[in-house]
Amino acid sequence: MRMLFRRNAAFGAAHSISSLPNKRIDYRCIVTTCRAVLLPRFGGPEVLELRNDIIVPDLKPNEVLVRTRAVSVNPLDTRMRAGYGKSIFQPLLPLILGRDISGEVAAIGSSVHSLHIGQEVFGALHPTAIRGTYTDYAVLPENELALKPESVSHVEASAIPFAALTAWRALKSTARIAKGQNILVIGGGGAVGFSAIQLAVAAGCHVSTTCGGESIDRILEAGAEQAVDYTSLDIETKIEKQFDAVLDTIGVRETERLGINLLKRGGKYMTLQGEAASLSDSYGLVFGLPAATAILLKKQMQYRYSHGIDYYWTYMRADDEGLAEIRKLMEAGKLKMEVEKILPITEVKQAHEDKDKRRVIGKVVLEFD
Ligand SMILES: NC(=O)c1ccc[n+]([C@@H]2O[C@H](COP(=O)([O-])OP(=O)(O)OC[C@H]3O[C@@H](n4cnc5c(N)ncnc54)[C@H](OP(=O)(O)O)[C@@H]3O)[C@@H](O)[C@H]2O)c1
């Protein structure tokens, strides 16, 4: 018979997990159910349900059970809640939202060797995971976690990995940026843009950015050489350089035009707003994915012919080497993220509403007691 714990009993049990000797244990004899924020259907923040009776699943050999301390709210969370990706997620409802996490290892699968029970870890789930991190006990593959630097709080650690891995994928894996190159980040005030600036600065690049006026000081302090308010009328003439790579986190027509025009021949333009998911949502996977591929190929050919540049849709991917480098930069104080608002997980609806209505521009983090 499955034992059901009341919420507080489960918390007490979780603490006792971390004080147990460092060996694989059947954590399910200690905690079988936990709290989680469920998404039973797509809609506004009101559809989110905080439940106490969510089963903690069996761990696969490569998986880690993390006792959550903090999760951050990413645009993907609010977009998924509203129906983005429904072509994939609709049949899988109810699902648990959340990508980013910081917490403690509560249990490990049989083939996990790099992490031990009780260690403080942080990381991010890949974009298509259906059991997300808005839960007392989250399950992540070993390669999507790293040890949390001691100097960084759970709150800040939870605000970094998804955004930084997205920036890493674009700059390091796609553009292969190198020391001395000129990089433009469009949308440098946001979490991905700000991470990208810091990654490029750490790689020895010269970084320019467009951002909201309020972000300019923070961005220059992080090492960007130029920060231009995106509401200026003449952005293109203010940014005089030609760039080796442009990361466009906004990805609308005007920012695409700006980024493409400011690239050198042979440069790389990367947008985070690829159309594969939105077209699949509108037309179904069978028609949407081929349509997206056709649009991408057309743009790639068009820009290669007209400007001599490479055009990419870039996406967050799990990357253990990237996460290890991100961790090192965090530890060295070279990769930081300001958190604008911290709320308890019980106020998850409020957090989503704050982001939807743009009442809070910076990062919102949900804490677990
Ligand atoms: N493809 C992927 O795998 C992937 C992964 C992560 C994120 N994303 C997407 O990338 C986008 C950014 O994510 P995020 O986490 O960085 O979001 P975020 O933290 O909410 O940042 C968005 C920022 O964009 C700025 N902005 C808005 N319009 C702008 C413009 N025309 N020019 C320059 N800056 C502008 C805003 O600055 P102000 O506040 O100053 O107005 C805001 O700070 C989101 O749309 C997200 O869904 C995609």
Side-chain angles (χ1 to χ4, degrees):
M1 193 179 82
R2 178 184 302 125
M3 290 169 64
L4 292 183
F5 287 87
R6 285 155 55 92
R7 204 178 88 195
N8 290 340
F11 285 164
H15 288 305
S16 66
I17 290 177
S18 40
S19 60
L20 283 169
N22 183 25
K23 58 184 181 183
R24 290 176 178 83
I25 52 164
D26 184 1
Y27 57 90
R28 284 162 305 133
C29 65
I30 298 171
V31 56
T32 57
T33 62
C34 64
R35 281 184 310 178
V37 177
L38 278 196
L39 180 73
R41 62 185 189 285
F42 300 117
E46 71 286 351
V47 301
L48 297 173
E49 283 178 15
L50 181 62
R51 297 256 302 265
N52 288 328
D53 56 351
I54 303 306
I55 290 173
V56 177
D58 293 337
L59 288 184
K60 295 192 186 115
N62 68 329
E63 286 179 339
V64 178
L65 184 72
V66 180
R67 171 70 177 91
T68 313
R69 295 292 168 201
V71 298
S72 81
V73 178
N74 278 293
L76 182 61
D77 304 346
T78 52
R79 290 173 78 181
M80 271 173 71
R81 190 210 68 227
Y84 177 77
K86 64 178 184 234
S87 55
I88 299 169
F89 294 120
Q90 178 92 56
L92 302 169
L93 292 174
L95 50 87
I96 300 175
L97 293 176
R99 307 291 107 181
D100 278 325
I101 188 165
S102 186
E104 289 139 25
V105 176
I108 53 179
S110 58
S111 70
V112 172
H113 294 294
S114 66
L115 296 171
H116 304 299
I117 292 167
Q119 286 180 320
E120 294 193 322
V121 289
F122 77 110
L125 275 167
H126 53 281
T128 51
I130 54 165
R131 193 182 191 281
T133 56
Y134 288 9
T135 172
D136 287 324
Y137 287 94
V139 176
L140 288 90
E142 179 183 17
N143 67 350
E144 296 183 8
L145 288 167
L147 289 178
K148 180 180 79 62
E150 275 178 26
S151 54
V152 179
S153 67
H154 282 301
V155 165
E156 192 184 2
S158 76
I160 293 176
F162 192 80
L165 282 165
T166 305
W168 181 273
R169 171 91 185 153
L171 297 181
K172 296 282 189 163
S173 311
T174 304
R176 298 184 182 281
I177 58 167
K179 191 172 177 181
Q181 286 190 332
N182 292 326
I183 309 297
L184 174 65
V185 177
I186 297 178
V192 178
F194 192 55
S195 302
I197 290 167
Q198 295 172 88
L199 292 180
V201 168
C205 299
H206 305 285
V207 184
S208 299
T209 187
T210 64
C211 60
E214 285 179 10
S215 303
I216 289 177
D217 290 346
R218 175 170 58 101
I219 282 171
L220 293 176
E221 232 171 77
E225 292 173 12
Q226 188 180 23
V228 177
D229 187 333
Y230 67 80
T231 57
S232 322
L233 288 178
D234 48 354
I235 305 182
E236 207 166 319
T237 51
K238 283 190 174 154
I239 305 174
E240 289 157 1
K241 277 186 196 156
Q242 292 285 291
F243 293 91
D244 298 283
V246 172
L247 174 59
D248 185 353
T249 71
I250 310 303
V252 295
R253 192 173 297 173
E254 308 87 71
T255 58
E256 181 167 315
R257 188 185 52 72
L258 176 74
I260 299 278
N261 285 345
L262 289 172
L263 274 171
K264 287 177 186 165
R265 284 190 86 75
K268 292 178 166 53
Y269 169 88
M270 299 160 288
T271 173
L272 296 183
Q273 310 297 342
E275 295 177 56
S278 51
L279 286 170
S280 299
D281 290 346
S282 302
Y283 304 111
L285 285 170
V286 173
F287 296 108
L289 280 182
T293 307
I295 290 174
L296 177 60
L297 286 173
K298 187 176 163 217
K299 285 202 169 202
Q300 286 177 330
M301 283 195 292
Q302 176 195 322
Y303 286 131
R304 199 161 296 151
Y305 182 72
S306 61
H307 290 74
I309 58 113
D310 293 328
Y311 175 97
Y312 299 92
W313 290 346
T314 177
Y315 298 96
M316 183 274 184
R317 288 270 172 89
D319 178 337
D320 48 350
E321 282 175 29
L323 188 59
E325 289 299 319
I326 286 163
R327 179 191 183 280
K328 274 192 208 157
L329 292 173
M330 287 165 64
E331 195 164 39
K334 294 181 178 173
L335 178 49
K336 299 179 184 170
M337 191 66 65
E338 264 179 30
V339 173
E340 195 170 331
K341 190 167 183 181
I342 304 170
L343 289 168
I345 186 63
T346 47
E347 292 188 36
V348 60
K349 289 182 190 179
Q350 178 71 53
H352 272 233
E353 208 174 298
D354 285 346
K355 290 311 289 180
D356 280 3
K357 298 198 167 151
R358 291 183 60 81
R359 280 194 218 118
V360 180
I361 304 300
K363 267 282 176 199
V364 175
V365 166
L366 297 163
E367 260 189 319
F368 290 67
D369 38 51

